[in-house]
Amino acid sequence: MTRWYLKLNEQCSLSQESIDYIDSLKPHKAKQWDLKSKEMKKYKEELLAELMRIQNNRCVYCGLSLLRVLVDREHFVPKSKKNYYEFTFHPMNLFAACTYCNRRLKGTKSTLTKFDHNFELCEFSIVHPVLEDSEDFIKFIEDSEGEPILVMSLNKKGEKTINMFGLDDPQLIIQRSGYLQQIKKSQTLQAQAVAYKRS
C-alpha cells in the first residue's frame, strides 16, 4: 500500500568534502545555512540530490511527486527557533518537501515537545519521517475504487500531523488519486517500451 506520509530508512550519503565543510562550521548557527560560499552551494546540491533519491522524488509530508514543482530543503525542527539552531545541518532534521507543505502549511511552527541535545532523544508533536513509523499514527484506507487515498488518525500525534499538512483535505485526496493514475500509466508505458525494444 502506498505510504503518503513517508517513512524513510536511509540517511543522506554525502561526499567527505561536504561532511568536512559542515563540520568546520561548528558550532552550528541558523545563519550559516544562508552562506554563499561555493562549499555551501555544493553541499546543498548534494543534499537535495540525495534527499530526492531517498524519497523517490516525493514530498516527505504529502507524498506527492516533487518532479516539476518547487522543492525546499526542509528543516523538520525549524532552524530559526531558539536553541534549535544546533540541528541546522543534522541529517535527521533535513528532508525534501514541496513548498506548499513547507512554507504555507508547516512554516516555522515548532515540532518539538521535548528538547535534547541528542536529536534522537527529542520528542515531537508530529510524526518524524525517520525516527517514527507513520503507520503507527496515521492510516490510509481504500476508497470505493480500492485506492488507498483516504486518511484517518490513530492517535493524537496522528491527528496533529494530519491537521498540520491538511492530509484529509478533499483536494489533496483527489491529487493522490491522480498521482496513482500517473504511476499506473507510467508503468504501462515502460512495459510497452520494453516490449517494443524486444520486438
Side-chain angles (χ1 to χ4, degrees):
M1 184 174 289
T2 301
R3 281 179 181 264
W4 294 106
Y5 194 94
L6 302 191
K7 164 60 178 171
L8 307 177
N9 299 309
E10 181 182 356
Q11 294 185 48
C12 292
S13 178
L14 302 176
S15 68
Q16 190 60 50
E17 182 180 355
S18 288
I19 293 173
D20 291 344
Y21 172 66
I22 296 303
D23 283 344
S24 73
L25 298 177
K26 291 180 179 179
H28 290 148
K29 303 290 184 181
K31 63 182 180 181
Q32 294 170 329
W33 184 259
D34 297 320
L35 291 174
K36 305 299 182 183
S37 66
K38 64 179 182 180
E39 293 86 357
M40 181 60 72
K41 181 179 179 181
K42 179 181 178 182
Y43 160 75
K44 287 184 175 180
E45 289 175 349
E46 283 187 18
L47 175 67
L48 183 58
E50 273 290 280
L51 291 172
M52 293 289 279
R53 178 186 67 81
I54 293 168
Q55 296 176 206
N56 196 26
N57 298 317
R58 297 172 62 200
C59 175
V60 72
Y61 299 128
C62 70
L64 296 179
S65 176
L66 290 175
L67 299 177
R68 302 182 71 83
V69 300
L70 293 176
V71 181
D72 284 342
R73 304 169 188 85
E74 144 72 351
H75 291 83
F76 185 81
V77 175
K79 64 183 184 298
S80 59
K81 294 292 184 181
K82 184 179 179 181
N83 297 327
Y84 302 166
Y85 45 75
E86 63 187 87
F87 298 143
T88 299
F89 299 98
H90 196 290
M92 289 188 183
N93 196 39
L94 292 162
F95 303 102
C98 66
T99 55
Y100 189 85
C101 281
N102 182 36
R103 301 184 194 183
R104 183 161 184 176
L105 299 180
K106 180 172 175 287
T108 58
K109 297 183 181 74
S110 178
T111 55
L112 273 180
T113 57
K114 179 181 177 183
F115 172 81
D116 194 283
H117 292 289
N118 181 343
F119 190 87
E120 295 184 45
L121 297 181
C122 290
E123 295 180 6
F124 309 98
S125 60
I126 61 173
V127 181
H128 189 281
V130 173
L131 298 176
E132 298 174 305
D133 189 337
S134 60
E135 291 187 347
D136 292 333
F137 306 90
I138 301 170
K139 183 177 182 180
F140 286 94
I141 54 182
E142 297 179 351
D143 64 0
S144 59
E145 297 181 359
E147 294 183 334
I149 59 176
L150 305 177
V151 63
M152 65 178 291
S153 63
L154 300 179
N155 44 49
K156 194 67 174 180
K157 180 177 285 191
E159 181 181 351
K160 288 185 176 180
T161 304
I162 289 172
N163 290 340
M164 179 173 287
F165 298 105
L167 299 180
D168 57 354
D169 182 271
Q171 185 59 42
L172 184 54
I173 292 172
I174 293 172
Q175 288 180 290
R176 288 187 198 119
S177 179
Y179 180 66
L180 290 178
Q181 292 302 317
Q182 289 178 358
I183 293 175
K184 292 177 183 178
K185 184 65 174 179
S186 176
Q187 291 172 340
T188 299
L189 291 175
Q190 289 176 4
Q192 291 175 347
V194 170
Y196 177 78
K197 289 180 179 180
R198 291 176 177 173
S199 62

PDB file of all heavy atoms in Angstrom, residues 13-40:
ATOM      1  N   SER A  13      23.913  10.221   1.977  1.00  0.00           N
ATOM      2  CA  SER A  13      25.327   9.865   1.867  1.00  0.00           C
ATOM      3  C   SER A  13      26.031  10.985   1.108  1.00  0.00           C
ATOM      4  O   SER A  13      25.916  11.084  -0.113  1.00  0.00           O
ATOM      5  CB  SER A  13      25.473   8.532   1.114  1.00  0.00           C
ATOM      6  OG  SER A  13      26.836   8.204   0.953  1.00  0.00           O
ATOM      7  N   LEU A  14      26.731  11.839   1.848  1.00  0.00           N
ATOM      8  CA  LEU A  14      27.385  12.996   1.255  1.00  0.00           C
ATOM      9  C   LEU A  14      28.874  12.748   1.060  1.00  0.00           C
ATOM     10  O   LEU A  14      29.460  11.861   1.685  1.00  0.00           O
ATOM     11  CB  LEU A  14      27.191  14.215   2.152  1.00  0.00           C
ATOM     12  CG  LEU A  14      25.741  14.620   2.440  1.00  0.00           C
ATOM     13  CD1 LEU A  14      25.713  15.784   3.427  1.00  0.00           C
ATOM     14  CD2 LEU A  14      25.008  14.987   1.167  1.00  0.00           C
ATOM     15  N   SER A  15      29.482  13.543   0.189  1.00  0.00           N
ATOM     16  CA  SER A  15      30.918  13.423  -0.043  1.00  0.00           C
ATOM     17  C   SER A  15      31.672  13.814   1.225  1.00  0.00           C
ATOM     18  O   SER A  15      31.174  14.594   2.045  1.00  0.00           O
ATOM     19  CB  SER A  15      31.341  14.329  -1.196  1.00  0.00           C
ATOM     20  OG  SER A  15      31.205  15.696  -0.842  1.00  0.00           O
ATOM     21  N   GLN A  16      32.868  13.271   1.394  1.00  0.00           N
ATOM     22  CA  GLN A  16      33.670  13.593   2.559  1.00  0.00           C
ATOM     23  C   GLN A  16      33.994  15.083   2.582  1.00  0.00           C
ATOM     24  O   GLN A  16      34.085  15.698   3.657  1.00  0.00           O
ATOM     25  CB  GLN A  16      34.963  12.785   2.557  1.00  0.00           C
ATOM     26  CG  GLN A  16      35.752  12.868   3.855  1.00  0.00           C
ATOM     27  CD  GLN A  16      34.947  12.361   5.048  1.00  0.00           C
ATOM     28  OE1 GLN A  16      34.367  11.275   4.999  1.00  0.00           O
ATOM     29  NE2 GLN A  16      34.903  13.141   6.123  1.00  0.00           N
ATOM     30  N   GLU A  17      34.130  15.673   1.406  1.00  0.00           N
ATOM     31  CA  GLU A  17      34.408  17.106   1.314  1.00  0.00           C
ATOM     32  C   GLU A  17      33.278  17.926   1.945  1.00  0.00           C
ATOM     33  O   GLU A  17      33.529  18.861   2.713  1.00  0.00           O
ATOM     34  CB  GLU A  17      34.584  17.512  -0.151  1.00  0.00           C
ATOM     35  CG  GLU A  17      34.925  18.981  -0.349  1.00  0.00           C
ATOM     36  CD  GLU A  17      35.101  19.347  -1.813  1.00  0.00           C
ATOM     37  OE1 GLU A  17      35.049  18.438  -2.668  1.00  0.00           O
ATOM     38  OE2 GLU A  17      35.291  20.548  -2.093  1.00  0.00           O
ATOM     39  N   SER A  18      32.058  17.562   1.647  1.00  0.00           N
ATOM     40  CA  SER A  18      30.914  18.282   2.208  1.00  0.00           C
ATOM     41  C   SER A  18      30.783  18.028   3.708  1.00  0.00           C
ATOM     42  O   SER A  18      30.471  18.936   4.483  1.00  0.00           O
ATOM     43  CB  SER A  18      29.622  17.870   1.500  1.00  0.00           C
ATOM     44  OG  SER A  18      29.575  18.407   0.194  1.00  0.00           O
ATOM     45  N   ILE A  19      31.025  16.786   4.118  1.00  0.00           N
ATOM     46  CA  ILE A  19      30.966  16.452   5.547  1.00  0.00           C
ATOM     47  C   ILE A  19      31.997  17.271   6.325  1.00  0.00           C
ATOM     48  O   ILE A  19      31.698  17.840   7.384  1.00  0.00           O
ATOM     49  CB  ILE A  19      31.217  14.951   5.753  1.00  0.00           C
ATOM     50  CG1 ILE A  19      30.052  14.134   5.166  1.00  0.00           C
ATOM     51  CG2 ILE A  19      31.377  14.632   7.243  1.00  0.00           C
ATOM     52  CD1 ILE A  19      30.286  12.645   5.167  1.00  0.00           C
ATOM     53  N   ASP A  20      33.211  17.343   5.792  1.00  0.00           N
ATOM     54  CA  ASP A  20      34.269  18.107   6.467  1.00  0.00           C
ATOM     55  C   ASP A  20      33.928  19.594   6.522  1.00  0.00           C
ATOM     56  O   ASP A  20      34.206  20.267   7.524  1.00  0.00           O
ATOM     57  CB  ASP A  20      35.603  17.907   5.735  1.00  0.00           C
ATOM     58  CG  ASP A  20      36.154  16.494   5.890  1.00  0.00           C
ATOM     59  OD1 ASP A  20      35.686  15.776   6.796  1.00  0.00           O
ATOM     60  OD2 ASP A  20      37.022  16.104   5.083  1.00  0.00           O
ATOM     61  N   TYR A  21      33.324  20.084   5.457  1.00  0.00           N
ATOM     62  CA  TYR A  21      32.964  21.507   5.424  1.00  0.00           C
ATOM     63  C   TYR A  21      31.920  21.828   6.489  1.00  0.00           C
ATOM     64  O   TYR A  21      32.057  22.801   7.250  1.00  0.00           O
ATOM     65  CB  TYR A  21      32.443  21.893   4.039  1.00  0.00           C
ATOM     66  CG  TYR A  21      31.880  23.289   3.986  1.00  0.00           C
ATOM     67  CD1 TYR A  21      32.694  24.403   4.161  1.00  0.00           C
ATOM     68  CD2 TYR A  21      30.509  23.492   3.799  1.00  0.00           C
ATOM     69  CE1 TYR A  21      32.170  25.695   4.139  1.00  0.00           C
ATOM     70  CE2 TYR A  21      29.983  24.780   3.777  1.00  0.00           C
ATOM     71  CZ  TYR A  21      30.818  25.871   3.947  1.00  0.00           C
ATOM     72  OH  TYR A  21      30.296  27.139   3.923  1.00  0.00           O
ATOM     73  N   ILE A  22      30.889  21.018   6.571  1.00  0.00           N
ATOM     74  CA  ILE A  22      29.843  21.255   7.569  1.00  0.00           C
ATOM     75  C   ILE A  22      30.409  21.126   8.982  1.00  0.00           C
ATOM     76  O   ILE A  22      30.078  21.912   9.879  1.00  0.00           O
ATOM     77  CB  ILE A  22      28.660  20.281   7.363  1.00  0.00           C
ATOM     78  CG1 ILE A  22      27.994  20.533   6.010  1.00  0.00           C
ATOM     79  CG2 ILE A  22      27.652  20.413   8.498  1.00  0.00           C
ATOM     80  CD1 ILE A  22      27.507  21.942   5.799  1.00  0.00           C
ATOM     81  N   ASP A  23      31.300  20.162   9.184  1.00  0.00           N
ATOM     82  CA  ASP A  23      31.940  20.012  10.494  1.00  0.00           C
ATOM     83  C   ASP A  23      32.769  21.240  10.858  1.00  0.00           C
ATOM     84  O   ASP A  23      32.846  21.628  12.034  1.00  0.00           O
ATOM     85  CB  ASP A  23      32.836  18.765  10.514  1.00  0.00           C
ATOM     86  CG  ASP A  23      32.036  17.479  10.647  1.00  0.00           C
ATOM     87  OD1 ASP A  23      30.851  17.553  11.023  1.00  0.00           O
ATOM     88  OD2 ASP A  23      32.603  16.401  10.373  1.00  0.00           O
ATOM     89  N   SER A  24      33.369  21.859   9.847  1.00  0.00           N
ATOM     90  CA  SER A  24      34.232  23.020  10.089  1.00  0.00           C
ATOM     91  C   SER A  24      33.439  24.246  10.544  1.00  0.00           C
ATOM     92  O   SER A  24      34.017  25.192  11.084  1.00  0.00           O
ATOM     93  CB  SER A  24      35.024  23.367   8.823  1.00  0.00           C
ATOM     94  OG  SER A  24      34.184  23.965   7.837  1.00  0.00           O
ATOM     95  N   LEU A  25      32.128  24.223  10.348  1.00  0.00           N
ATOM     96  CA  LEU A  25      31.286  25.362  10.715  1.00  0.00           C
ATOM     97  C   LEU A  25      30.857  25.326  12.185  1.00  0.00           C
ATOM     98  O   LEU A  25      30.287  26.294  12.679  1.00  0.00           O
ATOM     99  CB  LEU A  25      30.040  25.401   9.832  1.00  0.00           C
ATOM    100  CG  LEU A  25      30.257  25.590   8.335  1.00  0.00           C
ATOM    101  CD1 LEU A  25      28.923  25.529   7.599  1.00  0.00           C
ATOM    102  CD2 LEU A  25      30.962  26.909   8.042  1.00  0.00           C
ATOM    103  N   LYS A  26      31.105  24.220  12.862  1.00  0.00           N
ATOM    104  CA  LYS A  26      30.673  24.085  14.255  1.00  0.00           C
ATOM    105  C   LYS A  26      31.328  25.128  15.144  1.00  0.00           C
ATOM    106  O   LYS A  26      32.492  25.469  14.947  1.00  0.00           O
ATOM    107  CB  LYS A  26      30.997  22.675  14.773  1.00  0.00           C
ATOM    108  CG  LYS A  26      30.148  21.595  14.126  1.00  0.00           C
ATOM    109  CD  LYS A  26      30.507  20.217  14.671  1.00  0.00           C
ATOM    110  CE  LYS A  26      29.630  19.134  14.031  1.00  0.00           C
ATOM    111  NZ  LYS A  26      29.982  17.780  14.528  1.00  0.00           N
ATOM    112  N   PRO A  27      30.593  25.639  16.147  1.00  0.00           N
ATOM    113  CA  PRO A  27      29.200  25.310  16.500  1.00  0.00           C
ATOM    114  C   PRO A  27      28.220  25.872  15.475  1.00  0.00           C
ATOM    115  O   PRO A  27      28.354  27.005  15.030  1.00  0.00           O
ATOM    116  CB  PRO A  27      29.016  25.960  17.873  1.00  0.00           C
ATOM    117  CG  PRO A  27      29.967  27.118  17.856  1.00  0.00           C
ATOM    118  CD  PRO A  27      31.160  26.648  17.067  1.00  0.00           C
ATOM    119  N   HIS A  28      27.244  25.078  15.106  1.00  0.00           N
ATOM    120  CA  HIS A  28      26.324  25.463  14.050  1.00  0.00           C
ATOM    121  C   HIS A  28      25.353  26.548  14.504  1.00  0.00           C
ATOM    122  O   HIS A  28      24.860  26.536  15.622  1.00  0.00           O
ATOM    123  CB  HIS A  28      25.540  24.235  13.561  1.00  0.00           C
ATOM    124  CG  HIS A  28      26.397  23.275  12.818  1.00  0.00           C
ATOM    125  ND1 HIS A  28      26.181  21.919  12.822  1.00  0.00           N
ATOM    126  CD2 HIS A  28      27.486  23.468  12.017  1.00  0.00           C
ATOM    127  CE1 HIS A  28      27.091  21.317  12.075  1.00  0.00           C
ATOM    128  NE2 HIS A  28      27.897  22.231  11.583  1.00  0.00           N
ATOM    129  N   LYS A  29      25.098  27.472  13.563  1.00  0.00           N
ATOM    130  CA  LYS A  29      24.132  28.552  13.767  1.00  0.00           C
ATOM    131  C   LYS A  29      23.186  28.591  12.571  1.00  0.00           C
ATOM    132  O   LYS A  29      23.543  28.212  11.457  1.00  0.00           O
ATOM    133  CB  LYS A  29      24.860  29.903  13.891  1.00  0.00           C
ATOM    134  CG  LYS A  29      25.906  29.965  14.995  1.00  0.00           C
ATOM    135  CD  LYS A  29      25.267  29.960  16.378  1.00  0.00           C
ATOM    136  CE  LYS A  29      26.323  30.113  17.473  1.00  0.00           C
ATOM    137  NZ  LYS A  29      25.724  30.086  18.823  1.00  0.00           N
ATOM    138  N   ALA A  30      21.976  29.069  12.787  1.00  0.00           N
ATOM    139  CA  ALA A  30      20.978  29.113  11.729  1.00  0.00           C
ATOM    140  C   ALA A  30      21.445  29.946  10.539  1.00  0.00           C
ATOM    141  O   ALA A  30      21.204  29.593   9.379  1.00  0.00           O
ATOM    142  CB  ALA A  30      19.661  29.661  12.272  1.00  0.00           C
ATOM    143  N   LYS A  31      22.136  31.056  10.807  1.00  0.00           N
ATOM    144  CA  LYS A  31      22.545  31.959   9.734  1.00  0.00           C
ATOM    145  C   LYS A  31      23.552  31.314   8.786  1.00  0.00           C
ATOM    146  O   LYS A  31      23.700  31.758   7.637  1.00  0.00           O
ATOM    147  CB  LYS A  31      23.121  33.247  10.319  1.00  0.00           C
ATOM    148  CG  LYS A  31      24.387  33.052  11.144  1.00  0.00           C
ATOM    149  CD  LYS A  31      24.858  34.379  11.738  1.00  0.00           C
ATOM    150  CE  LYS A  31      26.130  34.206  12.574  1.00  0.00           C
ATOM    151  NZ  LYS A  31      26.571  35.494  13.161  1.00  0.00           N
ATOM    152  N   GLN A  32      24.238  30.262   9.228  1.00  0.00           N
ATOM    153  CA  GLN A  32      25.206  29.598   8.355  1.00  0.00           C
ATOM    154  C   GLN A  32      24.532  28.944   7.148  1.00  0.00           C
ATOM    155  O   GLN A  32      25.157  28.748   6.120  1.00  0.00           O
ATOM    156  CB  GLN A  32      25.982  28.538   9.155  1.00  0.00           C
ATOM    157  CG  GLN A  32      26.863  29.122  10.242  1.00  0.00           C
ATOM    158  CD  GLN A  32      27.413  28.048  11.169  1.00  0.00           C
ATOM    159  OE1 GLN A  32      26.779  27.017  11.404  1.00  0.00           O
ATOM    160  NE2 GLN A  32      28.596  28.288  11.716  1.00  0.00           N
ATOM    161  N   TRP A  33      23.253  28.603   7.306  1.00  0.00           N
ATOM    162  CA  TRP A  33      22.511  27.975   6.207  1.00  0.00           C
ATOM    163  C   TRP A  33      22.482  28.872   4.969  1.00  0.00           C
ATOM    164  O   TRP A  33      22.401  28.390   3.844  1.00  0.00           O
ATOM    165  CB  TRP A  33      21.090  27.657   6.663  1.00  0.00           C
ATOM    166  CG  TRP A  33      20.271  26.936   5.645  1.00  0.00           C
ATOM    167  CD1 TRP A  33      19.317  27.464   4.821  1.00  0.00           C
ATOM    168  CD2 TRP A  33      20.339  25.541   5.317  1.00  0.00           C
ATOM    169  NE1 TRP A  33      18.777  26.491   4.016  1.00  0.00           N
ATOM    170  CE2 TRP A  33      19.390  25.301   4.303  1.00  0.00           C
ATOM    171  CE3 TRP A  33      21.114  24.479   5.802  1.00  0.00           C
ATOM    172  CZ2 TRP A  33      19.187  24.038   3.752  1.00  0.00           C
ATOM    173  CZ3 TRP A  33      20.909  23.213   5.248  1.00  0.00           C
ATOM    174  CH2 TRP A  33      19.968  23.001   4.240  1.00  0.00           C
ATOM    175  N   ASP A  34      22.554  30.172   5.174  1.00  0.00           N
ATOM    176  CA  ASP A  34      22.450  31.128   4.072  1.00  0.00           C
ATOM    177  C   ASP A  34      23.803  31.589   3.540  1.00  0.00           C
ATOM    178  O   ASP A  34      23.872  32.534   2.736  1.00  0.00           O
ATOM    179  CB  ASP A  34      21.638  32.347   4.525  1.00  0.00           C
ATOM    180  CG  ASP A  34      20.209  31.967   4.885  1.00  0.00           C
ATOM    181  OD1 ASP A  34      19.614  31.144   4.175  1.00  0.00           O
ATOM    182  OD2 ASP A  34      19.695  32.492   5.898  1.00  0.00           O
ATOM    183  N   LEU A  35      24.879  30.949   3.961  1.00  0.00           N
ATOM    184  CA  LEU A  35      26.192  31.291   3.433  1.00  0.00           C
ATOM    185  C   LEU A  35      26.227  31.087   1.929  1.00  0.00           C
ATOM    186  O   LEU A  35      25.613  30.155   1.391  1.00  0.00           O
ATOM    187  CB  LEU A  35      27.268  30.427   4.101  1.00  0.00           C
ATOM    188  CG  LEU A  35      27.536  30.687   5.584  1.00  0.00           C
ATOM    189  CD1 LEU A  35      28.519  29.650   6.144  1.00  0.00           C
ATOM    190  CD2 LEU A  35      28.081  32.095   5.792  1.00  0.00           C
ATOM    191  N   LYS A  36      26.956  31.947   1.235  1.00  0.00           N
ATOM    192  CA  LYS A  36      27.011  31.909  -0.227  1.00  0.00           C
ATOM    193  C   LYS A  36      28.293  31.269  -0.765  1.00  0.00           C
ATOM    194  O   LYS A  36      28.602  31.379  -1.954  1.00  0.00           O
ATOM    195  CB  LYS A  36      26.894  33.331  -0.786  1.00  0.00           C
ATOM    196  CG  LYS A  36      25.663  34.086  -0.322  1.00  0.00           C
ATOM    197  CD  LYS A  36      24.375  33.387  -0.739  1.00  0.00           C
ATOM    198  CE  LYS A  36      23.142  34.176  -0.310  1.00  0.00           C
ATOM    199  NZ  LYS A  36      21.886  33.477  -0.641  1.00  0.00           N
ATOM    200  N   SER A  37      29.038  30.601   0.068  1.00  0.00           N
ATOM    201  CA  SER A  37      30.309  30.011  -0.359  1.00  0.00           C
ATOM    202  C   SER A  37      30.074  28.887  -1.369  1.00  0.00           C
ATOM    203  O   SER A  37      28.992  28.281  -1.412  1.00  0.00           O
ATOM    204  CB  SER A  37      31.070  29.461   0.848  1.00  0.00           C
ATOM    205  OG  SER A  37      30.369  28.359   1.415  1.00  0.00           O
ATOM    206  N   LYS A  38      31.083  28.597  -2.163  1.00  0.00           N
ATOM    207  CA  LYS A  38      30.964  27.510  -3.139  1.00  0.00           C
ATOM    208  C   LYS A  38      30.825  26.169  -2.445  1.00  0.00           C
ATOM    209  O   LYS A  38      30.186  25.243  -2.947  1.00  0.00           O
ATOM    210  CB  LYS A  38      32.164  27.502  -4.080  1.00  0.00           C
ATOM    211  CG  LYS A  38      33.509  27.223  -3.411  1.00  0.00           C
ATOM    212  CD  LYS A  38      34.632  27.222  -4.443  1.00  0.00           C
ATOM    213  CE  LYS A  38      35.971  26.894  -3.787  1.00  0.00           C
ATOM    214  NZ  LYS A  38      37.088  26.879  -4.773  1.00  0.00           N
ATOM    215  N   GLU A  39      31.418  26.058  -1.241  1.00  0.00           N
ATOM    216  CA  GLU A  39      31.307  24.818  -0.468  1.00  0.00           C
ATOM    217  C   GLU A  39      29.863  24.586  -0.006  1.00  0.00           C
ATOM    218  O   GLU A  39      29.359  23.468  -0.035  1.00  0.00           O
ATOM    219  CB  GLU A  39      32.237  24.851   0.739  1.00  0.00           C
ATOM    220  CG  GLU A  39      33.723  24.833   0.400  1.00  0.00           C
ATOM    221  CD  GLU A  39      34.283  26.209   0.140  1.00  0.00           C
ATOM    222  OE1 GLU A  39      33.500  27.187   0.169  1.00  0.00           O
ATOM    223  OE2 GLU A  39      35.503  26.322  -0.087  1.00  0.00           O
ATOM    224  N   MET A  40      29.212  25.683   0.422  1.00  0.00           N
ATOM    225  CA  MET A  40      27.818  25.555   0.850  1.00  0.00           C
ATOM    226  C   MET A  40      26.922  25.223  -0.341  1.00  0.00           C
ATOM    227  O   MET A  40      25.992  24.409  -0.226  1.00  0.00           O
ATOM    228  CB  MET A  40      27.344  26.846   1.527  1.00  0.00           C
ATOM    229  CG  MET A  40      25.902  26.799   2.043  1.00  0.00           C
ATOM    230  SD  MET A  40      25.623  25.493   3.275  1.00  0.00           S
ATOM    231  CE  MET A  40      26.495  26.186   4.683  1.00  0.00           C
TER     232      MET A  40
END
